[in-house]
Every structure is written in structure tokens, then in C-alpha cells.
Coordinates of all heavy atoms in Angstrom, one line a residue:
M1 N 87.4 96.8 46.4 CA 86.1 96.6 47.1 C 85.2 97.8 46.7 O 85.6 98.9 46.7 CB 86.3 96.5 48.6 CG 87.0 95.2 49.0 SD 86.7 94.8 50.7 CE 87.6 96.0 51.6
P2 N 83.9 97.5 46.6 CA 82.9 98.6 46.3 C 82.9 99.5 47.5 O 83.1 99.1 48.7 CB 81.6 97.9 46.2 CG 81.9 96.5 45.8 CD 83.3 96.2 46.5
K3 N 82.6 100.8 47.2 CA 82.5 101.8 48.2 C 81.0 102.1 48.4 O 80.3 102.5 47.4 CB 83.2 103.1 47.8 CG 84.7 103.0 47.9 CD 85.3 104.3 47.6 CE 86.9 104.3 47.7 NZ 87.5 103.4 46.8
L4 N 80.5 102.0 49.6 CA 79.1 102.3 50.0 C 79.1 103.6 50.8 O 79.7 103.7 51.8 CB 78.5 101.2 50.8 CG 77.2 101.5 51.6 CD1 76.1 101.8 50.6 CD2 76.9 100.3 52.5
T5 N 78.5 104.6 50.2 CA 78.3 105.9 50.9 C 76.8 105.9 51.4 O 75.9 105.7 50.6 CB 78.6 107.1 50.0 OG1 79.9 107.0 49.6 CG2 78.4 108.4 50.8
F6 N 76.7 106.2 52.7 CA 75.3 106.2 53.3 C 75.1 107.6 53.8 O 75.8 108.0 54.8 CB 75.3 105.1 54.4 CG 73.9 104.9 54.9 CD1 72.8 104.7 54.0 CD2 73.6 104.9 56.2 CE1 71.5 104.5 54.4 CE2 72.3 104.7 56.7 CZ 71.3 104.5 55.8
T7 N 74.1 108.3 53.2 CA 74.0 109.7 53.6 C 73.5 109.9 55.0 O 73.7 110.9 55.6 CB 73.0 110.4 52.6 OG1 71.7 109.7 52.8 CG2 73.4 110.3 51.2
A8 N 72.8 108.9 55.6 CA 72.3 109.1 56.9 C 73.5 109.2 58.0 O 73.3 109.7 59.0 CB 71.4 107.9 57.3
T9 N 74.6 108.7 57.6 CA 75.8 108.8 58.5 C 76.8 109.7 57.9 O 77.7 110.2 58.6 CB 76.5 107.4 58.7 OG1 76.9 106.9 57.5 CG2 75.5 106.4 59.4
G10 N 76.7 110.0 56.6 CA 77.7 110.8 55.9 C 79.0 110.1 55.7 O 80.0 110.7 55.4
E11 N 79.0 108.8 55.9 CA 80.3 108.0 55.8 C 80.3 107.2 54.6 O 79.3 106.8 54.0 CB 80.4 107.1 57.0 CG 80.4 107.8 58.4 CD 81.7 108.4 58.8 OE1 82.7 108.0 58.2 OE2 81.7 109.3 59.6
T12 N 81.6 106.9 54.1 CA 81.8 106.0 53.0 C 82.5 104.8 53.6 O 83.5 104.9 54.3 CB 82.6 106.6 51.9 OG1 81.8 107.7 51.4 CG2 82.9 105.6 50.8
Y13 N 82.0 103.6 53.2 CA 82.6 102.3 53.8 C 83.0 101.5 52.6 O 82.3 101.5 51.6 CB 81.5 101.6 54.5 CG 80.7 102.4 55.5 CD1 79.5 103.1 55.1 CD2 81.1 102.5 56.8 CE1 78.8 103.8 56.0 CE2 80.3 103.2 57.7 CZ 79.2 103.9 57.3 OH 78.5 104.7 58.2
E14 N 84.1 100.8 52.7 CA 84.5 99.8 51.7 C 83.9 98.5 52.2 O 84.1 98.1 53.3 CB 86.0 99.7 51.6 CG 86.6 100.9 51.0 CD 88.1 100.7 50.5 OE1 88.7 99.6 50.8 OE2 88.6 101.5 49.7
V15 N 83.2 97.9 51.3 CA 82.5 96.6 51.6 C 82.9 95.5 50.6 O 83.1 95.8 49.5 CB 80.9 96.8 51.6 CG1 80.5 97.9 52.6 CG2 80.4 97.1 50.2
P16 N 83.0 94.3 51.1 CA 83.3 93.2 50.2 C 82.2 93.1 49.1 O 81.0 93.3 49.3 CB 83.2 92.0 51.0 CG 83.5 92.5 52.4 CD 82.8 93.9 52.5
D17 N 82.6 92.8 47.9 CA 81.7 92.7 46.7 C 80.7 91.6 47.1 O 81.0 90.5 47.6 CB 82.5 92.2 45.5 CG 81.7 92.3 44.2 OD1 80.6 92.9 44.2 OD2 82.2 91.8 43.2
G18 N 79.4 91.9 46.9 CA 78.3 91.0 47.2 C 77.8 91.1 48.6 O 76.9 90.3 49.0
T19 N 78.2 92.2 49.3 CA 77.6 92.4 50.7 C 76.2 92.8 50.6 O 75.8 93.7 49.8 CB 78.4 93.5 51.3 OG1 79.8 93.1 51.5 CG2 77.8 93.9 52.7
R20 N 75.3 92.2 51.4 CA 73.9 92.6 51.4 C 73.9 93.9 52.3 O 74.4 94.0 53.4 CB 73.1 91.5 52.1 CG 73.0 90.2 51.2 CD 72.2 89.2 51.9 NE 70.8 89.6 52.0 CZ 69.9 89.3 53.0 NH1 70.3 88.5 54.0 NH2 68.7 89.7 53.0
F21 N 73.1 94.9 51.7 CA 73.0 96.2 52.5 C 72.4 95.9 53.8 O 72.8 96.5 54.8 CB 72.1 97.1 51.6 CG 71.9 98.5 52.2 CD1 72.9 99.4 52.4 CD2 70.6 98.8 52.6 CE1 72.7 100.6 52.9 CE2 70.4 100.1 53.1 CZ 71.4 101.0 53.3
L22 N 71.4 95.1 53.9 CA 70.8 94.7 55.2 C 71.8 94.2 56.2 O 71.8 94.7 57.3 CB 69.7 93.6 54.9 CG 69.2 92.9 56.1 CD1 68.3 93.8 57.0 CD2 68.4 91.6 55.7
D23 N 72.6 93.3 55.8 CA 73.6 92.7 56.7 C 74.6 93.8 57.2 O 74.9 93.9 58.3 CB 74.4 91.6 56.0 CG 73.5 90.4 55.7 OD1 72.4 90.3 56.4 OD2 73.8 89.6 54.9
F24 N 75.0 94.6 56.2 CA 76.0 95.6 56.6 C 75.4 96.6 57.6 O 76.1 97.0 58.5 CB 76.5 96.4 55.3 CG 77.7 97.3 55.6 CD1 78.9 96.8 55.8 CD2 77.4 98.6 55.7 CE1 80.0 97.6 56.1 CE2 78.5 99.5 56.0 CZ 79.8 99.0 56.2
C25 N 74.2 97.0 57.3 CA 73.5 98.0 58.3 C 73.4 97.4 59.6 O 73.7 98.0 60.7 CB 72.2 98.4 57.7 SG 72.2 99.5 56.3
Q26 N 73.0 96.1 59.7 CA 72.8 95.5 61.0 C 74.1 95.2 61.7 O 74.2 95.4 62.9 CB 71.9 94.2 60.8 CG 70.5 94.5 60.4 CD 69.6 93.3 60.3 OE1 70.0 92.2 60.1 NE2 68.3 93.6 60.4
E27 N 75.1 94.8 61.0 CA 76.3 94.5 61.6 C 77.1 95.7 62.1 O 77.9 95.7 63.0 CB 77.2 93.7 60.7 CG 76.7 92.3 60.4 CD 77.4 91.6 59.2 OE1 78.3 92.2 58.6 OE2 76.9 90.5 58.9
N28 N 76.8 96.9 61.5 CA 77.5 98.1 61.8 C 76.6 99.2 62.5 O 77.0 100.3 62.6 CB 78.1 98.7 60.6 CG 79.2 97.8 60.1 OD1 80.3 97.7 60.6 ND2 78.9 97.0 59.1
D29 N 75.4 98.7 62.9 CA 74.4 99.6 63.6 C 74.2 100.9 62.8 O 74.1 102.0 63.4 CB 74.9 100.0 65.0 CG 74.8 98.8 65.9 OD1 73.9 98.0 65.8 OD2 75.7 98.7 66.8
L30 N 74.0 100.8 61.5 CA 73.7 102.0 60.7 C 72.2 102.3 60.9 O 71.4 101.4 61.0 CB 74.0 101.7 59.2 CG 75.4 101.5 58.8 CD1 75.6 101.5 57.3 CD2 76.4 102.4 59.5
P31 N 71.9 103.6 60.9 CA 70.6 104.0 61.2 C 69.6 103.9 60.0 O 69.3 104.9 59.3 CB 70.7 105.5 61.6 CG 71.9 105.9 60.8 CD 72.8 104.7 60.7
H32 N 69.3 102.7 59.6 CA 68.3 102.5 58.6 C 67.3 101.4 59.1 O 67.7 100.4 59.7 CB 69.0 102.0 57.3 CG 68.1 102.0 56.1 ND1 67.7 103.1 55.5 CD2 67.5 101.0 55.4 CE1 66.9 102.9 54.5 NE2 66.7 101.5 54.4
D33 N 66.0 101.7 58.9 CA 65.0 100.9 59.4 C 64.7 99.7 58.5 O 64.6 99.8 57.3 CB 63.6 101.6 59.6 CG 63.7 102.7 60.7 OD1 64.6 102.5 61.6 OD2 63.0 103.7 60.6
F34 N 64.5 98.5 59.1 CA 64.1 97.3 58.4 C 63.0 96.7 59.2 O 62.8 96.9 60.4 CB 65.3 96.3 58.3 CG 66.4 96.8 57.5 CD1 67.5 97.4 58.1 CD2 66.4 96.5 56.1 CE1 68.6 97.9 57.3 CE2 67.5 97.0 55.4 CZ 68.6 97.6 55.9
G35 N 62.1 96.0 58.4 CA 61.0 95.3 59.1 C 61.1 93.8 58.8 O 61.9 93.1 59.4
C36 N 60.4 93.4 57.8 CA 60.3 92.0 57.4 C 61.6 91.3 57.0 O 61.8 90.2 57.2 CB 59.3 91.8 56.4 SG 59.8 92.5 54.8
T37 N 62.5 92.1 56.4 CA 63.8 91.7 55.8 C 63.6 90.8 54.6 O 64.6 90.2 54.1 CB 64.8 91.1 56.8 OG1 64.3 89.8 57.2 CG2 64.9 91.9 58.0
V38 N 62.4 90.6 54.1 CA 62.3 89.6 53.0 C 61.6 90.3 51.8 O 61.1 89.6 50.9 CB 61.5 88.4 53.4 CG1 62.4 87.5 54.4 CG2 60.2 88.7 54.0
G39 N 61.5 91.6 51.8 CA 61.0 92.3 50.6 C 59.5 92.5 50.5 O 58.9 92.7 49.4
S40 N 58.8 92.4 51.7 CA 57.3 92.5 51.6 C 56.7 93.7 52.3 O 55.5 94.0 52.1 CB 56.7 91.2 52.0 OG 57.0 90.9 53.4
C41 N 57.4 94.4 53.2 CA 56.8 95.4 54.0 C 57.1 96.8 53.5 O 56.3 97.7 53.8 CB 57.2 95.3 55.5 SG 58.9 95.8 55.8
G42 N 58.2 97.0 52.9 CA 58.6 98.4 52.4 C 59.3 99.3 53.4 O 59.6 100.4 53.0
T43 N 59.4 98.8 54.6 CA 60.0 99.7 55.6 C 61.4 100.2 55.3 O 61.8 101.2 55.6 CB 60.1 98.9 57.0 OG1 58.8 98.4 57.3 CG2 60.7 99.7 58.1
C44 N 62.1 99.4 54.5 CA 63.6 99.6 54.2 C 63.8 100.5 53.0 O 64.9 100.6 52.5 CB 64.3 98.3 54.1 SG 63.6 97.3 52.7
A45 N 62.7 101.1 52.4 CA 62.8 101.8 51.2 C 63.9 102.8 51.2 O 64.1 103.5 52.2 CB 61.5 102.5 50.9
C46 N 64.7 102.9 50.1 CA 65.8 103.8 50.0 C 66.0 104.2 48.6 O 65.4 103.7 47.7 CB 67.1 103.1 50.5 SG 67.5 101.6 49.7
V47 N 66.8 105.2 48.4 CA 67.1 105.8 47.1 C 68.5 105.7 46.7 O 69.4 106.0 47.6 CB 66.5 107.2 47.0 CG1 66.9 107.9 45.7 CG2 65.0 107.3 47.3
I48 N 68.8 105.3 45.5 CA 70.2 105.3 45.0 C 70.5 106.7 44.5 O 69.9 107.2 43.5 CB 70.4 104.3 43.9 CG1 69.9 102.9 44.3 CG2 71.9 104.3 43.4 CD1 70.6 102.3 45.5
V49 N 71.3 107.4 45.2 CA 71.6 108.8 44.9 C 72.6 108.9 43.8 O 72.6 109.8 42.9 CB 72.1 109.6 46.2 CG1 72.5 111.0 45.9 CG2 71.1 109.5 47.3
E50 N 73.6 108.0 43.8 CA 74.7 108.1 42.8 C 75.3 106.7 42.7 O 75.2 105.9 43.6 CB 75.8 109.1 43.4 CG 76.8 109.4 42.4 CD 77.8 110.5 43.0 OE1 77.4 111.1 44.0 OE2 78.8 110.7 42.4
G51 N 75.8 106.4 41.5 CA 76.4 105.1 41.3 C 75.4 104.0 41.2 O 74.2 104.3 40.8
G52 N 75.8 102.8 41.5 CA 74.8 101.7 41.5 C 74.5 101.2 40.2 O 73.6 100.4 40.0
E53 N 75.3 101.5 39.2 CA 75.0 101.1 37.8 C 75.0 99.6 37.7 O 74.2 99.0 36.8 CB 76.0 101.7 36.8 CG 75.8 103.2 36.6 CD 76.6 104.0 37.6 OE1 77.2 103.4 38.5 OE2 76.5 105.2 37.5
A54 N 75.8 98.9 38.5 CA 75.8 97.4 38.4 C 74.9 96.7 39.3 O 74.9 95.5 39.3 CB 77.3 97.0 38.6
L55 N 74.1 97.4 40.1 CA 73.2 96.7 40.9 C 72.1 96.0 40.1 O 71.8 96.5 39.0 CB 72.4 97.8 41.8 CG 73.2 98.5 42.8 CD1 72.3 99.5 43.6 CD2 73.9 97.6 43.8
A56 N 71.7 94.9 40.6 CA 70.6 94.2 39.9 C 69.4 95.1 39.8 O 69.1 95.7 40.8 CB 70.3 92.9 40.7
P57 N 68.8 95.2 38.7 CA 67.6 96.0 38.5 C 66.4 95.5 39.4 O 66.4 94.3 39.7 CB 67.2 95.9 37.1 CG 67.8 94.7 36.6 CD 69.0 94.4 37.4
R58 N 65.5 96.4 39.8 CA 64.4 95.9 40.7 C 63.5 95.1 39.8 O 63.2 95.5 38.6 CB 63.8 97.0 41.4 CG 63.1 98.1 40.6 CD 62.5 99.2 41.5 NE 61.5 99.9 40.7 CZ 60.7 100.9 41.2 NH1 60.9 101.2 42.5 NH2 59.8 101.5 40.5
D59 N 62.9 94.1 40.3 CA 62.0 93.3 39.6 C 60.5 93.8 39.9 O 60.4 94.7 40.7 CB 62.1 91.8 39.8 CG 62.0 91.4 41.3 OD1 61.4 92.2 42.1 OD2 62.4 90.4 41.7
D60 N 59.5 93.2 39.3 CA 58.2 93.7 39.5 C 57.7 93.6 41.0 O 57.0 94.4 41.5 CB 57.2 92.8 38.6 CG 57.4 93.2 37.2 OD1 58.0 94.2 36.8 OD2 56.9 92.4 36.3
E61 N 58.2 92.5 41.6 CA 57.8 92.3 43.0 C 58.4 93.4 43.9 O 57.7 94.0 44.8 CB 58.3 90.9 43.5 CG 57.6 90.4 44.7 CD 58.0 89.0 45.1 OE1 58.3 88.2 44.1 OE2 58.1 88.7 46.2
E62 N 59.6 93.7 43.7 CA 60.3 94.8 44.5 C 59.6 96.1 44.2 O 59.3 96.9 45.1 CB 61.8 94.9 44.2 CG 62.5 96.0 45.0 CD 63.9 96.1 44.7 OE1 64.5 95.3 43.9 OE2 64.6 97.0 45.3
A63 N 59.3 96.4 42.9 CA 58.7 97.7 42.5 C 57.3 97.8 43.2 O 56.9 98.8 43.7 CB 58.5 97.7 41.0
E64 N 56.6 96.7 43.2 CA 55.2 96.7 43.9 C 55.3 97.1 45.3 O 54.5 97.9 45.9 CB 54.6 95.3 43.6 CG 53.1 95.3 43.9 CD 52.5 93.9 43.5 OE1 52.7 93.5 42.3 OE2 52.0 93.3 44.4
T65 N 56.2 96.4 46.0 CA 56.4 96.7 47.5 C 56.9 98.1 47.7 O 56.3 98.8 48.6 CB 57.4 95.7 48.1 OG1 56.9 94.4 47.9 CG2 57.5 95.9 49.6
V66 N 57.9 98.5 47.0 CA 58.5 99.8 47.3 C 57.5 101.0 47.0 O 57.4 102.0 47.6 CB 59.8 100.0 46.5 CG1 59.6 100.5 45.1 CG2 60.7 100.9 47.3
E67 N 56.6 100.7 46.0 CA 55.6 101.8 45.6 C 54.5 101.9 46.7 O 53.8 102.9 46.7 CB 55.1 101.5 44.2 CG 56.1 101.9 43.1 CD 55.8 101.3 41.8 OE1 54.7 100.7 41.6 OE2 56.6 101.4 40.9
M68 N 54.4 100.9 47.5 CA 53.4 101.0 48.6 C 54.0 101.9 49.7 O 53.3 102.5 50.5 CB 53.1 99.6 49.2 CG 52.3 98.7 48.4 SD 51.8 97.2 49.2 CE 53.3 96.7 50.1
A69 N 55.4 102.0 49.8 CA 56.0 102.6 50.9 C 56.4 104.1 50.6 O 56.5 104.9 51.5 CB 57.3 101.8 51.2
T70 N 56.7 104.4 49.3 CA 57.1 105.7 49.0 C 56.7 106.1 47.6 O 56.6 105.2 46.7 CB 58.7 105.8 49.2 OG1 59.1 107.2 48.8 CG2 59.4 104.8 48.2
D71 N 56.6 107.4 47.4 CA 56.4 107.9 46.0 C 57.6 108.2 45.3 O 57.6 108.7 44.1 CB 55.5 109.2 46.1 CG 54.1 108.9 46.6 OD1 53.6 107.7 46.4 OD2 53.5 109.8 47.2
E72 N 58.8 108.0 45.9 CA 60.0 108.4 45.2 C 60.3 107.5 44.0 O 60.3 106.3 44.1 CB 61.2 108.4 46.2 CG 61.0 109.5 47.3 CD 62.4 109.9 47.8 OE1 63.2 110.4 47.0 OE2 62.6 109.8 49.0
E73 N 60.6 108.2 42.9 CA 60.8 107.5 41.7 C 62.1 106.6 41.8 O 63.1 107.0 42.3 CB 61.1 108.5 40.6 CG 61.2 108.0 39.2 CD 59.9 107.6 38.6 OE1 58.8 108.1 39.1 OE2 59.9 106.7 37.7
G74 N 61.9 105.3 41.4 CA 63.0 104.4 41.3 C 63.6 103.9 42.7 O 64.7 103.4 42.7
A75 N 62.8 104.2 43.8 CA 63.3 103.7 45.1 C 63.5 102.2 45.1 O 62.9 101.5 44.3 CB 62.3 104.1 46.2
R76 N 64.3 101.8 46.0 CA 64.7 100.4 46.1 C 64.4 99.9 47.5 O 64.2 100.6 48.5 CB 66.2 100.2 45.9 CG 66.7 100.7 44.5 CD 66.1 99.9 43.3 NE 66.2 98.5 43.4 CZ 67.1 97.8 42.8 NH1 68.0 98.4 42.0 NH2 67.2 96.5 42.9
L77 N 64.4 98.6 47.7 CA 64.2 97.9 49.0 C 65.6 97.6 49.5 O 66.4 96.8 48.9 CB 63.4 96.7 48.9 CG 62.0 96.8 48.5 CD1 61.3 95.5 48.4 CD2 61.2 97.7 49.5
G78 N 66.0 98.3 50.6 CA 67.3 98.1 51.2 C 67.6 96.6 51.6 O 68.7 96.1 51.4
C79 N 66.6 95.9 51.9 CA 66.8 94.5 52.3 C 67.1 93.6 51.2 O 67.5 92.5 51.4 CB 65.6 94.0 53.1 SG 64.1 93.7 52.2
Q80 N 66.9 94.1 50.0 CA 67.1 93.3 48.8 C 68.4 93.7 48.0 O 68.8 93.0 47.0 CB 65.9 93.4 47.8 CG 64.6 92.9 48.4 CD 64.6 91.5 48.9 OE1 64.9 90.6 48.2 NE2 64.4 91.3 50.2
L81 N 69.0 94.8 48.5 CA 70.2 95.3 47.7 C 71.4 94.5 48.0 O 71.8 94.2 49.2 CB 70.4 96.7 48.1 CG 69.5 97.8 47.5 CD1 69.9 99.2 48.0 CD2 69.5 97.7 46.0
V82 N 72.1 94.1 47.0 CA 73.4 93.5 47.1 C 74.5 94.4 46.5 O 74.3 94.8 45.3 CB 73.5 92.1 46.4 CG1 74.9 91.5 46.5 CG2 72.4 91.2 47.0
I83 N 75.4 94.9 47.3 CA 76.4 95.9 46.9 C 77.5 95.2 46.1 O 78.2 94.4 46.6 CB 77.0 96.6 48.1 CG1 75.8 97.2 49.0 CG2 77.9 97.8 47.6 CD1 74.9 98.1 48.4
N84 N 77.5 95.6 44.8 CA 78.5 95.0 43.9 C 79.3 96.1 43.1 O 80.0 95.8 42.1 CB 77.9 94.0 43.0 CG 76.8 94.7 42.1 OD1 76.5 95.8 42.3 ND2 76.2 93.9 41.2
C85 N 79.0 97.4 43.5 CA 79.7 98.5 42.8 C 79.6 99.7 43.8 O 78.9 99.7 44.7 CB 79.0 98.8 41.5 SG 77.2 99.2 41.7
D86 N 80.3 100.8 43.4 CA 80.2 102.0 44.2 C 78.8 102.6 44.2 O 78.2 102.6 43.1 CB 81.2 103.1 43.7 CG 82.7 102.6 43.9 OD1 82.9 101.6 44.5 OD2 83.5 103.4 43.4
V87 N 78.3 103.0 45.3 CA 76.9 103.4 45.4 C 76.7 104.4 46.6 O 77.3 104.2 47.6 CB 76.0 102.2 45.4 CG1 76.1 101.4 46.7 CG2 74.5 102.7 45.3
T88 N 75.9 105.4 46.4 CA 75.5 106.2 47.4 C 74.0 106.0 47.7 O 73.2 106.1 46.7 CB 75.7 107.7 47.1 OG1 77.1 107.9 46.8 CG2 75.3 108.7 48.2
I89 N 73.6 105.8 48.9 CA 72.3 105.4 49.3 C 71.8 106.4 50.4 O 72.5 106.7 51.3 CB 72.2 104.0 49.8 CG1 72.6 103.0 48.7 CG2 70.8 103.6 50.3 CD1 72.7 101.5 49.1
R90 N 70.5 106.8 50.2 CA 69.9 107.5 51.3 C 68.5 106.9 51.6 O 67.9 106.3 50.7 CB 69.7 109.0 51.0 CG 68.7 109.3 49.9 CD 68.3 110.8 49.8 NE 67.6 111.1 48.6 CZ 66.3 110.9 48.5 NH1 65.6 110.3 49.4 NH2 65.6 111.2 47.4
P91 N 68.0 107.0 52.8 CA 66.7 106.5 53.1 C 65.6 107.2 52.2 O 65.8 108.4 51.9 CB 66.5 106.9 54.6 CG 67.9 107.0 55.1 CD 68.7 107.6 54.0
A92 N 64.6 106.5 51.8 CA 63.5 107.2 51.1 C 62.6 108.0 52.0 O 62.5 107.7 53.2 CB 62.7 106.1 50.4
E93 N 62.0 109.0 51.4 CA 61.0 109.8 52.1 C 59.7 109.0 52.1 O 59.3 108.6 51.0 CB 60.9 111.2 51.6 CG 62.2 112.0 51.8 CD 62.1 113.4 51.2 OE1 61.0 113.8 50.8 OE2 63.2 114.0 51.0
V94 N 59.1 108.8 53.2 CA 57.9 108.0 53.2 C 56.7 108.9 53.6 O 56.9 110.0 54.2 CB 57.9 106.8 54.1 CG1 58.9 105.8 53.5 CG2 58.3 107.2 55.5
Ligands
FES1 S1 62.5 95.1 55.4 FE1 60.5 94.7 54.6 S2 60.7 95.1 52.5 FE2 62.7 95.4 53.3

């Protein structure tokens, strides 16, 4: 199972392949903010600190939304992430 490390808690979790980051956060009360949950508000912006090589690349729509929310290079939308490999994630600075 992929390992998800979340810097906001300092914990590493084993998650089933294909777990949505949004679902995992909500089901486990992880301290990450979400808004629309459909990729349009940018509230959930986060940064892949390490790993994540197998994550689906962000598309133009995700890039456009995330760039409204943060200046951090390569930031992602947490509500759109599907965990399929080991990855370390931190909230983006907004
Ligand atoms: S929660 Fe709105 S873009 Fe992710």
C-alpha cells in the first residue's frame, strides 16, 4: 500500500492504492482545508514535498485554479489527488 506522509500531522499513513486525498483527510480528521471539493476554489492547495512520481500530472484546469490560490511552484489541488504511490504532502502557503 502507498505511504502518505502529511507534514501537518507529522504522521505517515498506509493508504489503499487509489485513495483520494480528500476522502482520507475527511475520514481521518486531518487538518487540511477544503472548500468546493471539485477543483474550482483552490482552498485545498498543497505541495508534493517528496515522492509522488506516479501521481497523475496536473492538467491545465488544475494549474489554473491552483495558481489563483498560491505562488508555490508545482502546487496541486488536494481535492484532485489520488494517492497511488509513496508521497509526502504539505499544505501550500497562500
Ligand atoms: S477544495 Fe476547492 S479546489 Fe480543492
Side-chain angles (χ1 to χ4, degrees):
M1 290 203 290
K3 290 184 176 63
L4 165 63
T5 301
F6 190 51
T7 63
T9 61
E11 301 282 338
T12 298
Y13 313 88
E14 287 198 350
V15 302
D17 193 10
T19 296
R20 294 178 68 212
F21 181 66
L22 165 69
D23 294 340
F24 188 76
C25 287
Q26 292 184 335
E27 288 165 9
N28 295 281
D29 288 327
L30 297 192
H32 191 71
D33 292 332
F34 294 93
C36 67
T37 72
V38 294
S40 60
C41 73
T43 303
C44 62
C46 58
V47 173
I48 307 303
V49 178
E50 192 175 343
E53 291 84 0
L55 296 177
R58 66 181 197 177
D59 59 19
D60 290 347
E61 196 173 331
E62 181 179 0
E64 194 173 303
T65 299
V66 84
E67 284 166 8
M68 289 188 317
T70 180
D71 291 333
E72 291 210 61
E73 188 75 23
R76 303 295 307 260
L77 295 177
C79 69
Q80 302 301 301
L81 287 179
V82 176
I83 307 302
N84 60 356
C85 60
D86 292 354
V87 63
T88 299
I89 297 176
R90 70 166 169 79
E93 293 177 16
V94 293

